[in-house]
Amino acid sequence: MPPAAGGTLIPMISKALILSAGLGTRLRPLTDVMPKPMVPLAGRPLLEHLVRRCAAAGIGDLAVNLHYLPHVVTDHFGNGAAFGVRLLYGLEAELLGTAGAINNFREFFSEPFLVLYGDVYFDVDLAAFAAAHEASGATATVGLYHVDNPTECGLVDRDAKGRITRFVEKPAVAFTDLANAGIYAMSPKVLDYIPESGFCDFGRDVFPAMLAAGEPLYSEVLDGYVMDIGSPQKYERAKAYVASRA
């Protein structure tokens, strides 16, 4: 992270997309009244934890895609100023997928950016992750973490330098325990692999297309806590972790 003239650190990546359009059906009845990224953890919505973590890492320009009960998010965050960030919202009439969500913000992402899944709580160093991506020269870097249920996740094979050689969504037979953490760093070149309309998913569509084209797609094993809250059991585990750190 390079220093400014006065010695202040300037983040190499200052923009992020936080994916927040999911329905969260497995967390009902809690998600009957709020989108999944707004479920509470230690008195704050999950999405607020993510926004504040971005702000702490110097990532101050955030795009958020919305679909289900969008007013719950916009009423809580407004323009983001109270949380130390600037928020740009994109409303999806129909779900566009993890990659298709970028189409509401193509001009916004004309420089390197992060993508964060809004239903994943994490306690990792985003600035260090962004710096590793910049140092590798990768077109995209996928954050990885060790899981005990690999057949339920997106898995990767990678070489000794961390370059990804295979990406498989929820394989029938596990070949590694390193799973996609839902934290990506990306060059704007990734947008070349995302159709300008329609549904598109990073794991199923974009990453395989990048690999087929020979794009440098790298990985970084994250040092810290990662937990998706897609099920009641995992949500309870995340709540316990956050409460223990309060």
Side-chain angles (χ1 to χ4, degrees):
M1 195 177 291
T8 302
L9 293 178
I10 301 175
M12 289 179 281
I13 292 180
S14 61
K15 293 185 176 183
L17 168 64
I18 305 181
L19 297 168
S20 304
L23 302 178
T25 54
R26 288 187 292 170
L27 293 182
R28 288 175 175 165
L30 187 60
T31 51
D32 285 340
V33 295
M34 66 183 72
K36 184 162 56 170
M38 293 299 287
V39 299
L41 290 169
R44 292 179 176 175
L46 167 60
L47 186 56
E48 183 177 331
H49 287 278
L50 306 187
V51 167
R52 289 184 181 277
R53 198 165 294 282
C54 286
I59 302 164
D61 291 303
L62 307 179
V64 180
N65 70 321
L66 302 173
H67 172 73
Y68 174 63
L69 300 176
H71 67 279
V72 178
V73 175
T74 56
D75 288 351
H76 182 82
F77 289 99
N79 65 7
F83 304 90
V85 298
R86 293 167 293 277
L87 290 175
L88 177 65
Y89 299 108
L91 183 61
E92 298 179 8
E94 296 182 358
L95 290 173
L96 298 176
T98 57
I102 283 181
N103 282 323
N104 281 327
F105 310 103
R106 276 188 173 260
E107 293 184 2
F108 184 71
F109 292 122
S110 60
E111 60 188 69
F113 61 97
L114 299 185
V115 175
L116 309 174
Y117 284 32
D119 60 356
V120 175
Y121 176 83
F122 60 85
D123 185 1
V124 301
D125 187 338
L126 286 179
F129 176 66
H133 166 74
E134 294 280 350
S136 73
T139 301
T141 301
V142 178
L144 303 178
Y145 73 121
H146 294 279
V147 296
D148 54 12
N149 58 337
T151 58
E152 299 176 15
C153 306
L155 304 182
V156 304
D157 264 345
R158 61 194 201 127
D159 66 19
K161 294 183 178 180
R163 185 163 182 164
I164 293 174
T165 57
R166 181 167 59 141
F167 195 103
V168 184
E169 276 291 329
K170 300 180 180 178
V173 178
F175 51 88
T176 179
D177 71 340
L178 283 174
N180 176 7
I183 300 174
Y184 311 142
M186 298 188 161
S187 156
K189 191 174 183 182
V190 171
L191 274 65
D192 294 344
Y193 294 89
I194 301 174
E196 294 188 6
S197 63
F199 187 94
C200 186
D201 181 83
F202 279 115
R204 291 185 176 89
D205 304 311
V206 177
F207 294 151
M210 291 176 63
L211 289 176
E215 289 285 354
L217 178 61
Y218 276 74
S219 60
E220 185 77 13
V221 179
L222 300 171
D223 183 13
Y225 181 85
V226 179
M227 178 61 66
D228 77 84
I229 61 159
S231 70
Q233 296 80 10
K234 291 181 178 179
Y235 176 45
E236 290 301 321
R237 289 166 66 182
K239 286 201 298 183
Y241 175 85
V242 177
S244 73
R245 309 286 286 188

